[in-house]
């Protein structure tokens, strides 16, 4: 039966870009369909730039950015955003740190004031540092130490795949490193990485471009100019011999495994990278996908399987080196070796026999839906455009992504699958130590 | 660093809450369809809410897992592939109130999504091999859930709050799941998956009337009588000893507190929502400022009013370091007591009010947010215009109103408290504050 291809729709979000004299890059994307705005400030520093002996520092510093600034007391930032009807947060990634608000549109100037004030200088005090070290330790306890599969695989797989400190260390940080962090470390980190020239501001939603431009000038124009630091080269050679390790998780009741293979540079070789993004979905998106059909339904050797690009699941927000990951949870007594062998077999089959009629088109259609759905929220749009500007100078790529995903060919997906060989693979296995075993 | 004193800019004029265009129709089979227009992206969101009270726990859970695994005409894989073709997907979930089918897809695929939905509703076949696969998966999933502190704490709290009510146990035991056979699922489907009191919500880049037509065309053949199965009202909270659930070796204690609350339509609800925000319902709350930003006991304390068909409850939760479990409970009780005994400051109330009103705007600014809200309202007999009424009540609530509901609902003497943690280490400090009773997890 011939397959009718679903037409992949695109968005047409307008994009205005400019750079202030102090080097701050700005992206505006107006949309007046609802009276809300998203504001994002992204700094070009992440986990990979942490100094040795300071694991977890980029994330700890993110917390400190909320602890008051030049004209704002501790707690003021939260109160001013929420008191304007908005919500806020920040997050630390391998290659960037973001800060953001989504608010009713009448709060635009307030949000810009708050972001500019902490770009000029956060209040880095001993008391706030000690308080936030405690808070971060609780964050690690709740997300990693006190629960099964904590940190699997985003914290546990990089040290298997990589050898250098920037790529391999624990991005949440050790308690020892966190506790020994000083205010001087924080001031130094701010001076180095939180420069206006190292940041991007994005505003999306119900704004007028002329008015918003004037407000950006007013609030950010006199932020002292500091250039972006040179980003080090984080490159590591690809694996040539399979790496495999395991650990016992005392809280986990069932086995699990994750594998990763290096992929082409997401920024410098986007065309080479994109087929891997599609491949991950062909393998694992829903009941009709390759690995779900085989491993979950036919063999029943896993209870769930997922595939994605980037250790934090961020295919379009990460730089080289990065990876395609597969992770699976197994039933009691499940055989990890067998699961890995079957994955190899299915990758071979895909590389050799290609895709079935319509398999690629339907996967691409659903990927387009996910991309569109993520950008329906003004904040999703601002954040994504800020990072695209920062890493590629190309925020408008957001409008192109559904189409570009749709243009990936069967031949490219097959070729991508053919590179996922066992000797290039790093895997980590969770051995259940839980009482329910 | 410069030290210019800069003043916080004032907010611009508030923009009025504008509800999107919508239409509603009750079909001949009793199904209510609500369509809402938000054309920002060329997608449509779908939510089908079916009343499902008083259904067998394990069968209900299994029905949700297997409803989309086959019909007379399509296999599970074909259902998934056909939905993928239009950029879509459907999933089902169930709780003591309702069975819900949710999904989204390209708006050009709406007819196809509705066709497949109709096929599932009228012809789900519960194939034996699929039921077996999903049964094993569900059992494994429950086992993993039972190792999660958040799940264990929630389970203990529900049991403690609801006693014999159907809300008391919401996750089946593995052996109950293993006993479920395909025939039981087909029977449950035939008895209860009916249009009569169900509500279908469609939100997105649609012309509302046309979306109603599409739904009518696809779903008119879905029939079945409602049997009007109602849950008994949830019992009132019975405060008493703190329940300490032992989880040896925990490096944190999961603190959970239930307090009385009222349904959305109750005259106290808006003021209670504001009182809850001031206590612990948002980041700028007293509780967060105290136990996180001042004392560093926890990462994310939070409280919210949860609405179910048979009753509402206010639930507060924080995961705190084992060594500060006692002090964290002390500060929590202090903050509840303070709000129950003293009126909030006017600026605190204004801040909470602006947050409540602003997040209403944010909540309806996406297709998914609108769909979730419209469906949640409809499941409780309300329509989207209730949002405007609620906003008006939030705008009017006074310091006295909030003080009054604070005294009535947030008093620590009315709280049900459950702590999951390492009993050996936390029983002593907790017992110093309140009578406790210990159970194993």
């Amino acid at each position: 039966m011939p397959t009718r291809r679903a037409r992949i729709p695109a968005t047409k979000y307008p994009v205005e870009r400019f750079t202030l004299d102090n080097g701050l890059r700005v992206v505006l994307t107006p949309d007046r369909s609802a009276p809300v705005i998203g504001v994002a400030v992204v700094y070009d520093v992440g986990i990979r730039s942490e100094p040795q002996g300071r694991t977890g520092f980029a994330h700890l510093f993110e917390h400190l950015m909320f602890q008051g600034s030049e004209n704002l007391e501790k707690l003021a930032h939260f109160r001013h955003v929420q008191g304007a009807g908005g919500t806020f947060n920040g997050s630390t990634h391998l290659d960037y740190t973001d800060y953001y608000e989504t608010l009713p549109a009448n709060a635009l100037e307030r949000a810009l004031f708050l972001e500019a004030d902490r770009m000029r200088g956060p209040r880095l005090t001993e008391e706030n540092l000690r308080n936030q070290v405690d808070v971060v330790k609780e964050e690690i306890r709740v997300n990693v130490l006190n629960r099964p599969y904590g940190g699997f695989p985003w914290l546990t797989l990089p040290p298997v795949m990589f050898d250098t400190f920037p790529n391999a260390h624990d991005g949440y940080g050790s308690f020892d490193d966190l506790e020994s962090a000083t205010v001087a470390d924080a001031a130094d980190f701010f001076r180095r990485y939180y420069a206006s020239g190292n940041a991007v501001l994005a505003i999306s939603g119900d704004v007028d471009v002329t008015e918003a431009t004037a407000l950006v000038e007013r609030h950010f124009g006199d932020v002292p100019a500091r250039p972006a630091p040179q980003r080090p080269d984080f490159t590591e050679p690809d694996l040539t011999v399979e790496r495999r390790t395991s650990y016992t998780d005392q809280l986990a009741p069932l086995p699990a495994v994750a594998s990763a293979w290096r992929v082409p540079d997401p920024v410098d070789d986007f065309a080479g990278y994109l087929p891997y993004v599609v491949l991950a979905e062909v393998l694992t998106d829903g009941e009709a996908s390759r690995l779900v059909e085989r491993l979950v339904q036919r063999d029943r050797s896993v209870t769930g399987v997922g595939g994605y690009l980037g250790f934090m699941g961020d295919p379009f927000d990460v730089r080289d080196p990065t990876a395609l990951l597969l992770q699976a949870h197994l039933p009691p007594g499940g055989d990890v070796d067998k699961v890995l062998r079957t994955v190899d077999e299915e990758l071979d089959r895909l590389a050799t026999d290609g895709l079935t009629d319509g398999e690629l088109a339907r996967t691409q259609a659903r990927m387009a839906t996910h991309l569109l759905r993520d950008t329906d929220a003004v904040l999703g749009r601002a954040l994504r455009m800020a990072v695209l500007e920062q890493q590629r100078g190309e925020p408008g790529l957001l409008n192109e992504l559904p189409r570009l995903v749709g243009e990936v060919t069967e031949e490219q997906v097959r070729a991508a699958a053919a590179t996922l060989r066992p000797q290039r693979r790093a895997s980590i296995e969770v051995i259940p130590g839980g009482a329910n075993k | 660093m410069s030290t210019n004193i800069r003043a916080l800019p004032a907010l611009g004029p508030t923009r009025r809450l504008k509800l999107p265009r919508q239409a509603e129709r009750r079909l001949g089979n009793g199904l209510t369809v609500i369509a809402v227009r938000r054309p920002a992206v060329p997608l449509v969101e779908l939510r089908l809410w079916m009343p499902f009270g008083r259904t067998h726990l394990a069968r209900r859970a299994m029905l949700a897992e297997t409803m989309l695994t086959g019909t007379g005409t399509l296999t599970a894989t074909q259902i998934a592939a056909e939905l993928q073709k239009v950029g879509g997907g459907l999933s089902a979930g169930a709780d003591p109130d309702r069975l819900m089918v949710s999904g989204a897809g390209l708006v050009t695929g709406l007819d196809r999504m509705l066709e497949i939905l109709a096929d599932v509703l009228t012809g789900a076949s519960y194939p034996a091999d699929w039921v077996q696969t999903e049964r094993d998966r569900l059992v494994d999933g429950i086992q993993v859930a039972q190792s999660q502190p958040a799940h264990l704490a929630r389970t203990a709290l529900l049991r403690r709050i609801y006693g014999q009510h159907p809300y008391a146990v919401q996750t089946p035991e593995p052996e109950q799941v293993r006993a479920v056979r395909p025939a039981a699922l087909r029977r449950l489907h035939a008895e209860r998956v009916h249009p009569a009191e169900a509500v279908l919500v469609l939100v997105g880049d649609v012309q509302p009337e046309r979306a109603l037509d599409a739904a009518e065309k696809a779903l008119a053949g879905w029939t079945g009588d409602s049997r009007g199965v109602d849950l008994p009202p949830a019992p009132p909270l019975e405060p008493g000893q703190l329940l300490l659930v032992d989880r040896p070796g925990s490096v944190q204690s999961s603190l959970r507190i239930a307090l009385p609350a009222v349904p959305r339509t109750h005259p106290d609800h808006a003021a209670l929502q504001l009182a809850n925000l001031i206590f612990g319902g948002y980041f700028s709350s007293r509780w967060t400022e105290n136990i996180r930003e001042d004392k560093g006991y926890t990462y994310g304390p939070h409280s919210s009013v949860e609405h179910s068909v048979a009753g509402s409850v206010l639930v507060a939760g924080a995961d705190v370091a084992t060594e500060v479990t006692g002090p964290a409970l002390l500060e929590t009780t202090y903050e509840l007591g303070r709000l129950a005994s003293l009126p909030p400051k006017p600026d605190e109330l204004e801040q909470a009010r602006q947050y409540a009103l602003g997040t209403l705007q944010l909540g309806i600014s996406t297709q998914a947010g609108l769909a979730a809200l419209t469906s949640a309202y409809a499941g409780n007999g309300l329509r989207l215009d209730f949002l405007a009424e609620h906003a008006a009540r939030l705008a009017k609530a006074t310091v006295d109103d909030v003080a009054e509901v604070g005294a009535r609902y947030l008093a620590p003497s009315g709280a049900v408290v459950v702590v999951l943690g390492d009993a050996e280490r936390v029983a002593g400090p907790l017992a110093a504050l309140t009578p406790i009773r210990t159970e194993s997890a």
Side-chain angles (χ1 to χ4, degrees), chain B residues 52 59-68 91-94 99-100 126 185:
Chain B
F52 224 51
R59 288 177 205 152
R60 170 172 89 213
M62 274 297 292
L63 183 129
E65 296 290 323
T66 53
M67 194 176 177
L68 295 155
S91 64
L99 172 67
M100 177 91 126
Y126 303 95
L185 297 174

Side-chain angles (χ1 to χ4, degrees), chain B residues 72-206:
Chain B
T73 51
L74 298 171
T75 66
T77 312
Q78 286 168 332
I79 291 173
E82 286 299 306
L83 288 167
Q84 250 184 341
K85 275 186 196 170
V86 294
L90 291 174
S91 64
D95 67 23
D97 282 337
R98 89 280 188 280
L99 172 67
M100 177 91 126
V101 179
S102 316
L106 296 169
V107 68
T108 48
L110 175 60
D111 290 348
R112 187 68 184 127
M113 279 174 67
L114 289 168
E115 236 172 71
I116 293 167
L117 177 66
D119 192 23
V120 167
L121 293 169
T122 59
S125 56
Y126 303 95
D129 53 340
W130 279 92
V131 170
Q132 199 184 323
T133 306
E134 295 301 323
R135 196 162 48 210
D136 293 347
R137 280 173 95 180
L138 183 57
V139 166
D140 288 352
I142 291 168
Q143 213 180 323
V144 170
Q146 286 174 343
S147 65
Q148 301 276 1
H151 176 84
L152 292 170
R154 176 86 187 168
T155 304
L157 183 72
L158 291 176
R159 237 185 5 241
R160 171 68 182 79
I161 297 174
Y162 292 113
Q164 298 304 309
H165 192 273
Y167 288 167
V169 181
Q170 305 199 0
T171 309
E173 289 301 321
E175 57 271 25
Q176 296 174 299
V177 172
R178 287 196 191 97
V180 176
R181 296 288 168 265
L185 297 174
R186 286 178 209 125
R187 208 160 48 235
L188 179 59
H189 188 112
E191 280 168 11
R192 297 297 304 274
V193 181
H194 293 165
E197 289 176 25
V199 184
L200 174 68
V201 170
L202 300 170
V203 178
D205 189 6
V206 295

Side-chain angles (χ1 to χ4, degrees), chain A residues 243-376:
Chain A
R243 292 186 183 178
R244 174 93 183 264
T245 180
S246 65
Y247 65 100
T248 301
D249 181 337
Q250 289 303 340
L251 301 174
L254 298 172
V257 64
S259 297
W261 296 260
R262 294 276 297 277
V263 293
D265 186 325
V267 178
D268 287 348
D269 184 14
F270 192 49
Y273 175 79
L274 211 44
Y276 290 85
V277 183
V278 177
L279 171 63
E281 303 293 320
V282 168
L283 292 173
T284 61
D285 178 36
E287 299 292 331
S289 65
R290 288 275 164 138
L291 292 183
V292 174
E293 211 181 341
R294 173 72 195 268
L295 295 170
V296 177
Q297 296 161 12
R298 181 141 45 107
D299 296 357
R300 300 183 187 183
S301 56
V302 310
T303 52
V305 58
Y308 50 97
L309 271 288
F311 290 88
M312 302 173 100
D314 44 5
F316 306 117
D317 307 2
V318 70
R319 294 195 180 106
D320 192 59
T322 188
L324 183 150
L325 276 79
L326 291 175
Q327 71 178 90
H329 287 261
L330 280 66
D335 182 345
V336 164
D337 291 301
K338 191 175 148 227
V339 170
L340 293 181
R341 271 199 312 274
T342 313
V343 168
D344 291 336
E345 206 178 294
E346 286 300 316
L347 288 167
D348 273 344
R349 205 163 65 85
L350 187 55
T352 312
D353 303 344
L355 291 101
T356 60
D357 183 36
E359 188 180 2
L360 179 59
R362 62 177 160 83
T363 305
Q364 289 164 319
R366 204 160 123 94
M367 291 177 73
T369 310
H370 288 311
L371 286 165
L372 293 170
R373 207 162 177 250
D374 290 348
T375 53
D376 185 25

Side-chain angles (χ1 to χ4, degrees), chain A residues 86-275:
Chain A
T87 64
F88 64 85
N89 214 334
S91 64
T92 309
H93 299 247
L94 295 179
D95 293 321
Y96 68 95
T97 308
D98 60 25
Y99 300 86
Y100 52 85
E101 297 82 42
T102 181
L103 301 136
N106 65 331
L108 173 62
E109 185 172 8
R110 178 174 290 192
L112 298 179
F113 171 86
L114 296 172
E115 289 299 346
D117 211 54
R118 61 179 163 183
M119 190 179 287
R120 278 187 214 96
R123 285 194 189 198
L124 303 171
T125 68
E126 183 64 24
E127 190 188 350
N128 287 343
L129 175 61
R130 300 276 72 93
N131 169 243
Q132 290 304 309
V133 167
D134 285 345
V135 170
V136 167
K137 283 164 65 182
E138 290 317 301
E139 182 177 353
I140 294 170
R141 286 191 172 115
V142 76
N143 287 334
V144 182
L145 302 176
N146 203 43
R147 68 157 58 153
Y149 312 105
F152 170 77
W154 80 278
L155 293 177
T156 52
L157 189 49
V160 185
M161 170 162 255
F162 295 113
D163 296 321
T164 65
F165 175 81
N167 294 321
H169 75 272
D170 178 345
Y172 246 150
S174 73
F175 281 17
D176 278 352
D177 281 359
L178 290 167
E179 279 161 3
S180 62
T182 66
V183 170
D185 293 334
D188 190 52
F189 197 76
F190 179 78
R191 205 164 34 241
R192 221 175 134 75
Y193 294 113
Y194 279 68
S196 49
N198 206 33
V200 173
L201 163 69
I203 305 170
S204 67
D206 191 5
V207 296
D208 173 83
V209 170
T210 313
E211 194 187 320
T213 304
L215 289 175
V216 169
E217 289 279 2
R218 183 184 309 161
H219 290 283
F220 288 89
D222 66 351
V223 172
R226 291 203 315 283
Q230 185 74 38
R231 186 174 183 270
D233 184 2
F234 296 125
T235 309
E236 284 195 43
D238 193 5
L239 301 189
T240 51
V241 178
E242 181 180 6
R243 292 186 183 178
R244 174 93 183 264
T245 180
S246 65
Y247 65 100
T248 301
D249 181 337
Q250 289 303 340
L251 301 174
L254 298 172
V257 64
S259 297
W261 296 260
R262 294 276 297 277
V263 293
D265 186 325
V267 178
D268 287 348
D269 184 14
F270 192 49
Y273 175 79
L274 211 44

